Amino acid sequence: MSSYQANGYWYGEGRSVPEAVDLLNLMRRYREAERRMRAATRGSMGMNETDMSALRFLLAEHRKGVTPRQRDFAEELGISNASVSVLIDRLCRDGYAERVVHPADRRSVGIVPTDYSDTEVRGTLHRMHEQMMDAVGTLSEDERVAAAKFLEAMIRSVEIDDEPSRPSAGKGVVREGALPSR
Amino acid sequence: MSSYQANGYWYGEGRSVPEAVDLLNLMRRYREAERRMRAATRGSMGMNETDMSALRFLLAEHRKGVTPRQRDFAEELGISNASVSVLIDRLCRDGYAERVVHPADRRSVGIVPTDYSDTEVRGTLHRMHEQMMDAVGTLSEDERVAAAKFLEAMIRSVEIDDEPSRPSAGKGVVREGALPSR
DNA sequence: GAATATCTTTAGACAGGCTAACTATTAGCT
DNA sequence: AGCTAATAGTTAGCCTGTCTAAAGATATTC
C-alpha cells in the first residue's frame, strides 16, 4: 500500500508525480487524520460526536450574533426534537450551555454558550484551524487555484448523482436579527 | 456567507483566486457532501456506520485473498471482540457475509463476503470511486502536484500536534473508541 | 495430559437515538 | 373574542449498538 515517504514525496510505484489514485489516497489519509484529531478532542472533553457538533454549531451561531433555538439544532444535526431536548440537557448539565427564554417567542428556548465552553473549544479545534490556515498560506496563488479546482471536482463527484447540484445548500437558518442576548 | 457560484468559481468577497479560508471551506463542503453520500448509501442498504465499514474492510481483504477473522475486525474498527461477534451476526443475517472455519486455526472463524454483498456495494461506493478517479483525471500534472502538496499540508496540520509524525500511520493506531462518559 | 493462552460467544448494563403523547404558546379564521 | 390548527419543547417507553465480565472451545507448551 502506497510507498509514501514523509519528506521525499514519492507516490504509487516510485512515481514522483501523483496520479489520481495517489490523490484519493491522500484524501483518505486526511480524512482519517482529521477524524482521529476530532475524536481526541472529543475524548479529552468527554463528549460524544453529536454533542460536539452541537457545541461547535452553537459557538458558530453565537459568534454571528444569533441565538439558536432547539429546533435549529434538530435541523442542523439531523436528529429529532426530542433527542435535541435531551442533548441540550447534557450540554447544560456539563456547563457548556444555558437555556434562556427566547424574547420573540415564548414557546421557544434560546440556547447560549457559556464562557467556559468557548475557551475549552478554542484551546483545541481553533488551534487546528489556525494550523490549517498557516499551512495553506505557504501555497502559491497557482497552487491554491489548482487545489480549489481539485476540491471542486471531488465535491461534484460525490454529490452529482444525489441531486443535480446545490452548492451553498440550504442553511435555512432564521437570521433572526437582534437579540445578542448578553 | 461565501458568495459561491456554481459555474463561475467566485470566492470570499468577489475574489476569483481562492484564499486559505476558501480552501478550508471547500474542504468542509467536500466532507459534508461525502458524508451525505455515504449516509445515503448506508441508508439504502439499511446499514449503520460500523457495519458498513466492516463490510468495506471485508471486501477489501477478500480481494487481497485474505480471509479475516473476527479479531481482525475488532482491531480495524476499534470495537471490542464481543461487539464484533454481534456485528458479524448482523452481516450474516442480512446475507452480506458467511462464517467459515478458518483454514489455519480452528479456534477462529473466517469471514467471507457473499457475491450479493460485492455487487451491492459495487453498485454504489465503487461508482463514487470511479467518478472521483475520472474527475481527478481531468487535472494537469502541475495541478495534481499542487493538490497533493495542499493535501499533505492539511494532513500535517491535523496530525502534527498529536505525535511528532507518523505518516503511514495505519494499523497500530488506537481507534478512538471507548470513552466512559460517566 | 494438564496448564495456559487465544478466539469467540453469551449475558447484563448503559448511552443515545426514535416515535408518540402531552403541555404551553402562537397564528389563523370567522 | 374565541375556536382550531400549527409549532416548540418535554417526557415516557422502546430499540440498537456499544461495553465488560464470564464462560466455552480450540491450540500450544511443557
Side-chain angles (χ1 to χ4, degrees), chain A residues 1-2 4-6 9 11 16-21 23-27 29-40 42-43 45-49 56 64 76 93-94 124 127-129 131-133 135-162 165-169 171, chain B residues 1-2 4-6 9-11 16-31 33-38 40 56 64 124 127-129 131-162 165-171 173-176 179 181-182:
Chain A
M1 42 158 76
S2 149
Y4 175 88
Q5 296 185 346
Y9 298 146
Y11 305 96
S16 62
V17 171
E19 298 291 336
V21 64
L23 290 180
L24 262 47
N25 280 334
L26 284 172
M27 284 296 271
R29 275 187 51 210
Y30 170 77
R31 186 175 53 226
E32 275 304 296
E34 198 207 64
R35 196 186 56 71
R36 271 197 298 275
M37 211 291 184
R38 288 189 188 274
R42 213 164 64 224
M45 292 179 72
M47 296 179 85
N48 65 33
E49 180 75 41
R56 263 186 282 128
K64 286 191 281 182
E76 171 72 16
R93 180 198 62 192
D94 297 341
T124 52
R127 189 165 147 224
M128 175 178 83
H129 190 258
Q131 283 179 338
M132 289 165 79
M133 291 288 284
V136 179
T138 67
L139 299 179
S140 73
E141 190 172 301
D142 285 350
E143 287 170 334
R144 292 200 304 276
V145 171
K149 186 174 169 189
F150 164 73
L151 289 174
E152 277 148 6
M154 297 296 278
I155 291 169
R156 247 175 288 126
S157 297
V158 298
E159 75 182 1
I160 215 163
D161 58 354
D162 186 44
S165 168
R166 57 140 123 67
S168 74
K171 261 357 172 147
Chain B
M1 153 182 295
S2 155
Y4 176 88
Q5 296 184 345
Y9 299 144
W10 291 95
Y11 305 96
S16 62
V17 171
E19 297 291 337
V21 64
D22 302 315
L23 289 180
L24 264 46
N25 280 334
L26 284 172
M27 285 295 271
R28 187 172 45 69
R29 275 187 51 212
Y30 171 77
R31 186 174 54 225
E34 199 207 65
R35 196 185 54 71
R36 271 197 299 274
M37 210 291 184
R38 289 189 187 273
R56 264 185 281 128
K64 286 192 280 182
T124 51
R127 188 165 148 225
M128 175 178 83
H129 189 258
Q131 283 180 339
M132 289 165 80
M133 290 290 283
D134 290 349
V136 179
T138 67
L139 299 178
S140 74
E141 191 171 300
D142 284 350
E143 287 169 335
R144 291 200 305 276
V145 170
K149 185 176 171 188
F150 164 73
L151 288 174
E152 277 148 6
M154 296 296 278
I155 292 169
R156 245 175 288 127
S157 297
V158 297
E159 73 183 3
I160 216 161
D161 58 353
D162 187 43
S165 168
R166 77 120 116 90
S168 75
K171 306 313 183 168
V173 175
V174 189
R175 279 281 185 134
E176 114 176 49
L179 41 129
S181 84
R182 77 215 65 179

Side-chain angles (χ1 to χ4, degrees), chain B residues 112-124:
Chain B
V112 294
T114 59
D115 294 345
Y116 168 68
S117 71
D118 192 61
T119 53
E120 193 76 1
V121 170
R122 195 181 299 276
T124 51

Side-chain angles (χ1 to χ4, degrees), chain A residues 21-169:
Chain A
V21 64
D22 301 315
L23 290 180
L24 262 47
N25 280 334
L26 284 172
M27 284 296 271
R28 188 173 44 69
R29 275 187 51 210
Y30 170 77
R31 186 175 53 226
E32 275 304 296
E34 198 207 64
R35 196 186 56 71
R36 271 197 298 275
M37 211 291 184
R38 288 189 188 274
T41 299
R42 213 164 64 224
S44 77
M45 292 179 72
M47 296 179 85
N48 65 33
E49 180 75 41
T50 49
D51 287 14
M52 195 70 211
S53 298
L55 182 52
R56 263 186 282 128
F57 172 67
L58 173 59
L59 289 168
E61 293 295 291
H62 188 71
R63 218 169 297 130
K64 286 191 281 182
V66 178
T67 298
R69 297 163 297 174
Q70 296 196 179
R71 177 175 198 216
D72 301 321
F73 286 82
E75 189 180 347
E76 171 72 16
L77 302 173
I79 63 178
S80 70
N81 289 329
S83 300
V84 171
S85 191
V86 186
L87 185 155
I88 301 295
D89 283 348
R90 289 193 295 269
L91 290 187
C92 292
R93 180 198 62 192
D94 297 341
Y96 297 119
E98 283 174 4
R99 283 183 167 95
V100 299
V101 269
H102 200 287
D105 185 346
R106 270 183 311 186
R107 289 173 304 185
S108 292
V109 178
I111 313 294
V112 293
T114 59
D115 293 344
Y116 167 69
S117 70
D118 193 61
T119 53
E120 192 76 0
V121 170
R122 195 180 299 277
T124 52
L125 291 185
H126 284 205
R127 189 165 147 224
M128 175 178 83
H129 190 258
E130 277 159 24
Q131 283 179 338
M132 289 165 79
M133 291 288 284
D134 290 349
V136 179
T138 67
L139 299 179
S140 73
E141 190 172 301
D142 285 350
E143 287 170 334
R144 292 200 304 276
V145 171
K149 186 174 169 189
F150 164 73
L151 289 174
E152 277 148 6
M154 297 296 278
I155 291 169
R156 247 175 288 126
S157 297
V158 298
E159 75 182 1
I160 215 163
D161 58 354
D162 186 44
E163 283 185 45
S165 168
R166 57 140 123 67
S168 74

